[in-house]
mmCIF file with all atom_site columns, all heavy atoms in Angstrom:
data_model
loop_
_atom_site.group_PDB
_atom_site.id
_atom_site.type_symbol
_atom_site.label_atom_id
_atom_site.label_alt_id
_atom_site.label_comp_id
_atom_site.label_asym_id
_atom_site.label_entity_id
_atom_site.label_seq_id
_atom_site.pdbx_PDB_ins_code
_atom_site.Cartn_x
_atom_site.Cartn_y
_atom_site.Cartn_z
_atom_site.occupancy
_atom_site.B_iso_or_equiv
_atom_site.pdbx_formal_charge
_atom_site.auth_seq_id
_atom_site.auth_comp_id
_atom_site.auth_asym_id
_atom_site.auth_atom_id
_atom_site.pdbx_PDB_model_num
ATOM 1   N N   . LEU A 1 226 ? 18.924 6.173  -14.929 1.00 96.00 ? 385 LEU A N   1
ATOM 2   C CA  . LEU A 1 226 ? 17.424 6.554  -15.181 1.00 96.00 ? 385 LEU A CA  1
ATOM 3   C C   . LEU A 1 226 ? 17.152 7.303  -16.349 1.00 96.00 ? 385 LEU A C   1
ATOM 4   O O   . LEU A 1 226 ? 16.084 7.858  -16.587 1.00 96.00 ? 385 LEU A O   1
ATOM 5   C CB  . LEU A 1 226 ? 17.052 7.388  -13.892 1.00 96.00 ? 385 LEU A CB  1
ATOM 6   C CG  . LEU A 1 226 ? 17.050 6.695  -12.541 1.00 96.00 ? 385 LEU A CG  1
ATOM 7   C CD1 . LEU A 1 226 ? 16.929 7.808  -11.403 1.00 96.00 ? 385 LEU A CD1 1
ATOM 8   C CD2 . LEU A 1 226 ? 16.025 5.600  -12.539 1.00 96.00 ? 385 LEU A CD2 1
ATOM 9   N N   . GLY A 1 227 ? 18.296 7.411  -17.242 1.00 97.00 ? 386 GLY A N   1
ATOM 10  C CA  . GLY A 1 227 ? 18.077 7.941  -18.635 1.00 97.00 ? 386 GLY A CA  1
ATOM 11  C C   . GLY A 1 227 ? 18.390 9.342  -18.736 1.00 97.00 ? 386 GLY A C   1
ATOM 12  O O   . GLY A 1 227 ? 17.931 9.979  -19.839 1.00 97.00 ? 386 GLY A O   1
ATOM 13  N N   . VAL A 1 228 ? 18.865 10.043 -17.780 1.00 98.00 ? 387 VAL A N   1
ATOM 14  C CA  . VAL A 1 228 ? 19.200 11.516 -18.003 1.00 98.00 ? 387 VAL A CA  1
ATOM 15  C C   . VAL A 1 228 ? 20.665 11.665 -17.889 1.00 98.00 ? 387 VAL A C   1
ATOM 16  O O   . VAL A 1 228 ? 21.317 11.275 -16.855 1.00 98.00 ? 387 VAL A O   1
ATOM 17  C CB  . VAL A 1 228 ? 18.491 12.219 -16.892 1.00 98.00 ? 387 VAL A CB  1
ATOM 18  C CG1 . VAL A 1 228 ? 18.796 13.692 -16.943 1.00 98.00 ? 387 VAL A CG1 1
ATOM 19  C CG2 . VAL A 1 228 ? 16.969 12.222 -17.144 1.00 98.00 ? 387 VAL A CG2 1
ATOM 20  N N   . GLU A 1 229 ? 21.137 12.378 -18.806 1.00 98.00 ? 388 GLU A N   1
ATOM 21  C CA  . GLU A 1 229 ? 22.645 12.678 -19.105 1.00 98.00 ? 388 GLU A CA  1
ATOM 22  C C   . GLU A 1 229 ? 22.826 14.029 -18.599 1.00 98.00 ? 388 GLU A C   1
ATOM 23  O O   . GLU A 1 229 ? 22.187 14.895 -19.207 1.00 98.00 ? 388 GLU A O   1
ATOM 24  C CB  . GLU A 1 229 ? 23.016 12.417 -20.477 1.00 98.00 ? 388 GLU A CB  1
ATOM 25  C CG  . GLU A 1 229 ? 24.427 12.205 -20.649 1.00 98.00 ? 388 GLU A CG  1
ATOM 26  C CD  . GLU A 1 229 ? 24.927 10.746 -20.205 1.00 98.00 ? 388 GLU A CD  1
ATOM 27  O OE1 . GLU A 1 229 ? 24.231 9.794  -20.345 1.00 98.00 ? 388 GLU A OE1 1
ATOM 28  O OE2 . GLU A 1 229 ? 25.957 10.790 -19.588 1.00 98.00 ? 388 GLU A OE2 1
ATOM 29  N N   . VAL A 1 230 ? 23.755 14.296 -17.737 1.00 98.00 ? 389 VAL A N   1
ATOM 30  C CA  . VAL A 1 230 ? 24.092 15.627 -17.312 1.00 98.00 ? 389 VAL A CA  1
ATOM 31  C C   . VAL A 1 230 ? 25.308 16.187 -18.181 1.00 98.00 ? 389 VAL A C   1
ATOM 32  O O   . VAL A 1 230 ? 26.317 15.501 -18.239 1.00 98.00 ? 389 VAL A O   1
ATOM 33  C CB  . VAL A 1 230 ? 24.387 15.743 -15.903 1.00 98.00 ? 389 VAL A CB  1
ATOM 34  C CG1 . VAL A 1 230 ? 25.149 17.033 -15.371 1.00 98.00 ? 389 VAL A CG1 1
ATOM 35  C CG2 . VAL A 1 230 ? 23.215 15.380 -14.992 1.00 98.00 ? 389 VAL A CG2 1
ATOM 36  N N   . ASP A 1 231 ? 25.162 17.393 -18.712 1.00 98.00 ? 390 ASP A N   1
ATOM 37  C CA  . ASP A 1 231 ? 26.151 17.834 -19.557 1.00 98.00 ? 390 ASP A CA  1
ATOM 38  C C   . ASP A 1 231 ? 27.322 18.421 -18.821 1.00 98.00 ? 390 ASP A C   1
ATOM 39  O O   . ASP A 1 231 ? 28.440 18.241 -19.169 1.00 98.00 ? 390 ASP A O   1
ATOM 40  C CB  . ASP A 1 231 ? 25.689 19.027 -20.519 1.00 98.00 ? 390 ASP A CB  1
ATOM 41  C CG  . ASP A 1 231 ? 24.446 18.590 -21.258 1.00 98.00 ? 390 ASP A CG  1
ATOM 42  O OD1 . ASP A 1 231 ? 24.429 17.371 -21.520 1.00 98.00 ? 390 ASP A OD1 1
ATOM 43  O OD2 . ASP A 1 231 ? 23.681 19.495 -21.544 1.00 98.00 ? 390 ASP A OD2 1
ATOM 44  N N   . LYS A 1 232 ? 27.028 19.172 -17.847 1.00 98.00 ? 391 LYS A N   1
ATOM 45  C CA  . LYS A 1 232 ? 28.046 19.942 -17.086 1.00 98.00 ? 391 LYS A CA  1
ATOM 46  C C   . LYS A 1 232 ? 27.841 19.917 -15.520 1.00 98.00 ? 391 LYS A C   1
ATOM 47  O O   . LYS A 1 232 ? 26.811 20.031 -14.971 1.00 98.00 ? 391 LYS A O   1
ATOM 48  C CB  . LYS A 1 232 ? 28.060 21.396 -17.494 1.00 98.00 ? 391 LYS A CB  1
ATOM 49  C CG  . LYS A 1 232 ? 28.630 21.688 -18.874 1.00 98.00 ? 391 LYS A CG  1
ATOM 50  C CD  . LYS A 1 232 ? 28.975 23.116 -19.115 1.00 98.00 ? 391 LYS A CD  1
ATOM 51  C CE  . LYS A 1 232 ? 29.825 23.344 -20.348 1.00 98.00 ? 391 LYS A CE  1
ATOM 52  N NZ  . LYS A 1 232 ? 28.861 23.601 -21.473 1.00 98.00 ? 391 LYS A NZ  1
ATOM 53  N N   . VAL A 1 233 ? 29.007 19.678 -14.868 1.00 98.00 ? 392 VAL A N   1
ATOM 54  C CA  . VAL A 1 233 ? 28.949 19.801 -13.382 1.00 98.00 ? 392 VAL A CA  1
ATOM 55  C C   . VAL A 1 233 ? 29.802 20.984 -12.994 1.00 98.00 ? 392 VAL A C   1
ATOM 56  O O   . VAL A 1 233 ? 31.058 21.050 -13.343 1.00 98.00 ? 392 VAL A O   1
ATOM 57  C CB  . VAL A 1 233 ? 29.615 18.575 -12.645 1.00 98.00 ? 392 VAL A CB  1
ATOM 58  C CG1 . VAL A 1 233 ? 29.604 18.680 -11.255 1.00 98.00 ? 392 VAL A CG1 1
ATOM 59  C CG2 . VAL A 1 233 ? 28.814 17.294 -13.222 1.00 98.00 ? 392 VAL A CG2 1
ATOM 60  N N   . LEU A 1 234 ? 29.028 21.916 -12.385 1.00 98.00 ? 393 LEU A N   1
ATOM 61  C CA  . LEU A 1 234 ? 29.765 23.273 -11.962 1.00 98.00 ? 393 LEU A CA  1
ATOM 62  C C   . LEU A 1 234 ? 30.112 23.138 -10.515 1.00 98.00 ? 393 LEU A C   1
ATOM 63  O O   . LEU A 1 234 ? 29.179 23.031 -9.672  1.00 98.00 ? 393 LEU A O   1
ATOM 64  C CB  . LEU A 1 234 ? 28.810 24.435 -12.271 1.00 98.00 ? 393 LEU A CB  1
ATOM 65  C CG  . LEU A 1 234 ? 28.381 24.549 -13.750 1.00 98.00 ? 393 LEU A CG  1
ATOM 66  C CD1 . LEU A 1 234 ? 27.243 25.675 -13.908 1.00 98.00 ? 393 LEU A CD1 1
ATOM 67  C CD2 . LEU A 1 234 ? 29.505 24.699 -14.736 1.00 98.00 ? 393 LEU A CD2 1
ATOM 68  N N   . VAL A 1 235 ? 31.366 23.203 -10.234 1.00 98.00 ? 394 VAL A N   1
ATOM 69  C CA  . VAL A 1 235 ? 31.837 22.925 -8.864  1.00 98.00 ? 394 VAL A CA  1
ATOM 70  C C   . VAL A 1 235 ? 32.444 24.254 -8.180  1.00 98.00 ? 394 VAL A C   1
ATOM 71  O O   . VAL A 1 235 ? 33.440 24.913 -8.585  1.00 98.00 ? 394 VAL A O   1
ATOM 72  C CB  . VAL A 1 235 ? 33.091 21.944 -8.886  1.00 98.00 ? 394 VAL A CB  1
ATOM 73  C CG1 . VAL A 1 235 ? 33.423 21.515 -7.501  1.00 98.00 ? 394 VAL A CG1 1
ATOM 74  C CG2 . VAL A 1 235 ? 32.617 20.581 -9.668  1.00 98.00 ? 394 VAL A CG2 1
ATOM 75  N N   . TRP A 1 236 ? 31.582 24.760 -7.269  1.00 98.00 ? 395 TRP A N   1
ATOM 76  C CA  . TRP A 1 236 ? 32.151 25.851 -6.438  1.00 98.00 ? 395 TRP A CA  1
ATOM 77  C C   . TRP A 1 236 ? 33.135 25.318 -5.652  1.00 98.00 ? 395 TRP A C   1
ATOM 78  O O   . TRP A 1 236 ? 33.180 24.155 -5.256  1.00 98.00 ? 395 TRP A O   1
ATOM 79  C CB  . TRP A 1 236 ? 31.033 26.451 -5.583  1.00 98.00 ? 395 TRP A CB  1
ATOM 80  C CG  . TRP A 1 236 ? 29.969 27.135 -6.264  1.00 98.00 ? 395 TRP A CG  1
ATOM 81  C CD1 . TRP A 1 236 ? 28.784 26.691 -6.595  1.00 98.00 ? 395 TRP A CD1 1
ATOM 82  C CD2 . TRP A 1 236 ? 29.899 28.603 -6.492  1.00 98.00 ? 395 TRP A CD2 1
ATOM 83  N NE1 . TRP A 1 236 ? 27.945 27.672 -7.202  1.00 98.00 ? 395 TRP A NE1 1
ATOM 84  C CE2 . TRP A 1 236 ? 28.630 28.887 -7.147  1.00 98.00 ? 395 TRP A CE2 1
ATOM 85  C CE3 . TRP A 1 236 ? 30.784 29.597 -6.423  1.00 98.00 ? 395 TRP A CE3 1
ATOM 86  C CZ2 . TRP A 1 236 ? 28.250 30.149 -7.540  1.00 98.00 ? 395 TRP A CZ2 1
ATOM 87  C CZ3 . TRP A 1 236 ? 30.398 30.804 -6.825  1.00 98.00 ? 395 TRP A CZ3 1
ATOM 88  C CH2 . TRP A 1 236 ? 29.223 31.134 -7.431  1.00 98.00 ? 395 TRP A CH2 1
ATOM 89  N N   . ARG A 1 237 ? 34.162 26.112 -5.046  1.00 98.00 ? 396 ARG A N   1
ATOM 90  C CA  . ARG A 1 237 ? 35.226 25.624 -4.180  1.00 98.00 ? 396 ARG A CA  1
ATOM 91  C C   . ARG A 1 237 ? 35.044 26.346 -2.810  1.00 98.00 ? 396 ARG A C   1
ATOM 92  O O   . ARG A 1 237 ? 34.958 27.568 -2.737  1.00 98.00 ? 396 ARG A O   1
ATOM 93  C CB  . ARG A 1 237 ? 36.525 25.822 -4.810  1.00 98.00 ? 396 ARG A CB  1
ATOM 94  C CG  . ARG A 1 237 ? 36.807 24.749 -5.860  1.00 98.00 ? 396 ARG A CG  1
ATOM 95  C CD  . ARG A 1 237 ? 38.208 24.588 -6.250  1.00 98.00 ? 396 ARG A CD  1
ATOM 96  N NE  . ARG A 1 237 ? 38.425 25.683 -7.261  1.00 98.00 ? 396 ARG A NE  1
ATOM 97  C CZ  . ARG A 1 237 ? 39.625 25.617 -8.083  1.00 98.00 ? 396 ARG A CZ  1
ATOM 98  N NH1 . ARG A 1 237 ? 40.607 24.719 -7.735  1.00 98.00 ? 396 ARG A NH1 1
ATOM 99  N NH2 . ARG A 1 237 ? 39.880 26.509 -9.004  1.00 98.00 ? 396 ARG A NH2 1
ATOM 100 N N   . ARG A 1 238 ? 35.063 25.527 -1.837  1.00 98.00 ? 397 ARG A N   1
ATOM 101 C CA  . ARG A 1 238 ? 34.840 25.989 -0.408  1.00 98.00 ? 397 ARG A CA  1
ATOM 102 C C   . ARG A 1 238 ? 36.099 26.962 -0.086  1.00 98.00 ? 397 ARG A C   1
ATOM 103 O O   . ARG A 1 238 ? 35.859 27.957 0.574   1.00 98.00 ? 397 ARG A O   1
ATOM 104 C CB  . ARG A 1 238 ? 34.895 24.737 0.534   1.00 98.00 ? 397 ARG A CB  1
ATOM 105 C CG  . ARG A 1 238 ? 34.888 25.113 1.984   1.00 98.00 ? 397 ARG A CG  1
ATOM 106 C CD  . ARG A 1 238 ? 33.668 25.912 2.458   1.00 98.00 ? 397 ARG A CD  1
ATOM 107 N NE  . ARG A 1 238 ? 33.704 26.186 3.826   1.00 98.00 ? 397 ARG A NE  1
ATOM 108 C CZ  . ARG A 1 238 ? 34.453 27.005 4.549   1.00 98.00 ? 397 ARG A CZ  1
ATOM 109 N NH1 . ARG A 1 238 ? 35.310 27.733 3.904   1.00 98.00 ? 397 ARG A NH1 1
ATOM 110 N NH2 . ARG A 1 238 ? 34.283 27.163 5.901   1.00 98.00 ? 397 ARG A NH2 1
ATOM 111 N N   . HIS A 1 239 ? 37.302 26.689 -0.588  1.00 97.00 ? 398 HIS A N   1
ATOM 112 C CA  . HIS A 1 239 ? 38.291 27.505 -0.527  1.00 97.00 ? 398 HIS A CA  1
ATOM 113 C C   . HIS A 1 239 ? 38.782 27.848 -1.987  1.00 97.00 ? 398 HIS A C   1
ATOM 114 O O   . HIS A 1 239 ? 39.223 26.942 -2.600  1.00 97.00 ? 398 HIS A O   1
ATOM 115 C CB  . HIS A 1 239 ? 39.581 26.759 0.331   1.00 97.00 ? 398 HIS A CB  1
ATOM 116 C CG  . HIS A 1 239 ? 39.176 26.499 1.709   1.00 97.00 ? 398 HIS A CG  1
ATOM 117 N ND1 . HIS A 1 239 ? 39.057 27.331 2.723   1.00 97.00 ? 398 HIS A ND1 1
ATOM 118 C CD2 . HIS A 1 239 ? 38.894 25.228 2.257   1.00 97.00 ? 398 HIS A CD2 1
ATOM 119 C CE1 . HIS A 1 239 ? 38.752 26.745 3.833   1.00 97.00 ? 398 HIS A CE1 1
ATOM 120 N NE2 . HIS A 1 239 ? 38.566 25.393 3.605   1.00 97.00 ? 398 HIS A NE2 1
#
Side-chain angles (χ1 to χ4, degrees):
L385 295 167
V387 172
E388 201 71 43
V389 169
D390 302 332
K391 285 194 171 83
V392 179
L393 305 176
V394 185
W395 290 94
R396 283 192 276 193
R397 175 60 177 76
H398 300 283

